[in-house]
Amino acid sequence: MAKRQIPVIVLAGFLGSGKTTLLNHLLGRSGGTRIGAIVNDFGSIEIDAMSVAGQVDSMVSLGNGCLCCAVDTSELDGFLDRLSRPAARIDVIVIEASGLAEPQEVIRMILASDNKDIVYGGLVEVVDAAEFAATRARHPELDRHVAIADLVVLNKADRAGDEARREILAVLEELGPGTPVVPASYGRIDPELLFDRKPREDDPSKTRQLSFEDLCADDEQDGHGHDHEHGDGCHDGCDHGGHLHAAYESVEFVSEEPVDPRRLMEFLDSRPEGLYRIKGFVYFGIAGHKHKFTVHAVGDFLRFYRSSWARAEERLTQLVLIGRGVDTEALRAGLDRCRVTAGEPPAEENSMWGVLRYAQG
């Protein structure tokens, strides 16, 4: 059985959009997940403990098992090799691309890599809500970057008024139809939107998904919930009571019956706008395909990973869907229709074709 590949997530966005703040947030909220951070933005590296910022061919321990490299894009493949070695025990790799980099080039290098231990995990484009019009005028290529993104983070959303935010969201929808957009302040998004978090070994109680209540609690730690990303402390536009992430919803789905692969792919191919993340595992129960199929979706990006069930593990499907402004009842109904109910003939082996297009190994 092929071993699980390490997802490589590309974090892109123009200078000042808040990529480093978002990356710092992911590193600080990683739990027991070991993150390999590759930073390509020499001029603005602000990662804590990155004391050798700007030095090519450097690797620094960030604590909690995370590692960080400062690299030139031309050396990206070499650092992917180093971070994906079993000895590094890295669970996910996040590449913070230069603010002036073309994300397509970074993606191309990942896809062209001969490294069998990694897999492209999607493009996250960070957009500055406060400077959206100015950034778009200065960098018209932003339109193309949004169009190819799997997930867009509308950062500094608290600094744009309601009407301005609605206008930006309308433009982003036009540029990337159907691409999920996550409004955020100070780069604070749930890490589970991008990767699965493991519990910390020193705190077994931290086994659950980070909740948005947890994020609100984080906001209170420094009195105002700011990383002082803009260097201006609090501003009048802050909303300390109505956090932007408060409107997120999650849907859990469990099925003891096998799932029909064709119906599941129809559901995934038609997933609604605002559905940011799907994670969990699926049991199809089809001859020749009775493995556990772990599913990982970030925005438009979708991947299945095959693995063996543990000896005493119950064969069932368990999925978690995270989104904003989605019809949760419609999602549950759509997933219910994917069940192979009693008395229904089992799915045929050739019905797995759609799933296998997205499967590794």
Side-chain angles (χ1 to χ4, degrees), residues 78-242:
F79 273 87
L80 288 173
D81 288 342
R82 290 178 64 180
L83 289 174
S84 61
R85 289 181 303 180
R89 295 170 43 227
I90 294 296
D91 299 303
V92 61
I93 297 172
V94 180
I95 300 176
E96 181 190 340
S98 164
L100 299 176
E102 279 292 336
Q104 299 100 311
E105 179 62 18
V106 180
I107 295 169
R108 184 195 65 77
M109 295 179 70
I110 297 170
L111 295 175
S113 174
D114 293 329
N115 189 332
K116 303 301 183 184
D117 295 324
I118 64 169
V119 61
Y120 174 57
L123 168 64
V124 178
E125 180 74 18
V126 184
V127 174
D128 185 341
E131 301 291 336
F132 180 70
T135 302
R136 198 178 178 206
R138 189 165 57 250
H139 301 289
E141 59 269 34
L142 172 65
D143 291 9
R144 185 175 68 255
H145 297 181
V146 170
I148 66 171
D150 297 293
L151 183 72
V152 175
V153 175
L154 183 60
N155 199 30
K156 309 182 192 177
D158 59 319
R159 300 185 68 192
D162 291 343
E163 183 176 351
R165 195 158 57 238
R166 283 193 293 269
E167 291 176 356
I168 295 170
L169 290 171
V171 172
L172 293 175
E173 166 61 22
E174 182 180 347
L175 296 175
T179 300
V181 180
V182 183
S185 299
Y186 300 92
R188 288 186 170 135
I189 66 170
D190 189 336
E192 294 260 351
L193 295 178
L194 306 182
F195 53 81
D196 292 341
R197 296 197 316 154
K198 294 182 177 179
R200 290 185 56 161
E201 294 179 1
D202 60 347
D203 189 352
S205 67
K206 295 185 177 180
T207 58
R208 60 184 175 83
Q209 174 184 322
L210 178 71
S211 71
F212 296 104
E213 287 76 14
D214 295 331
L215 288 179
C216 288
D218 291 339
D219 289 344
E220 300 302 324
Q221 289 180 354
D222 68 354
H224 298 295
H226 290 169
D227 295 330
H228 305 297
E229 175 181 23
H230 314 292
D232 56 0
C234 263
H235 50 78
D236 295 338
C238 291
D239 181 1
H240 298 297

Side-chain angles (χ1 to χ4, degrees), residues 50-107:
M50 190 64 182
S51 58
V52 289
Q55 297 182 30
V56 177
D57 196 27
S58 60
M59 185 174 289
V60 178
S61 173
L62 298 178
N64 211 27
C66 298
L67 296 174
C68 187
C69 319
V71 303
D72 189 288
T73 304
S74 64
E75 299 182 336
L76 179 61
D77 207 45
F79 273 87
L80 288 173
D81 288 342
R82 290 178 64 180
L83 289 174
S84 61
R85 289 181 303 180
R89 295 170 43 227
I90 294 296
D91 299 303
V92 61
I93 297 172
V94 180
I95 300 176
E96 181 190 340
S98 164
L100 299 176
E102 279 292 336
Q104 299 100 311
E105 179 62 18
V106 180
I107 295 169

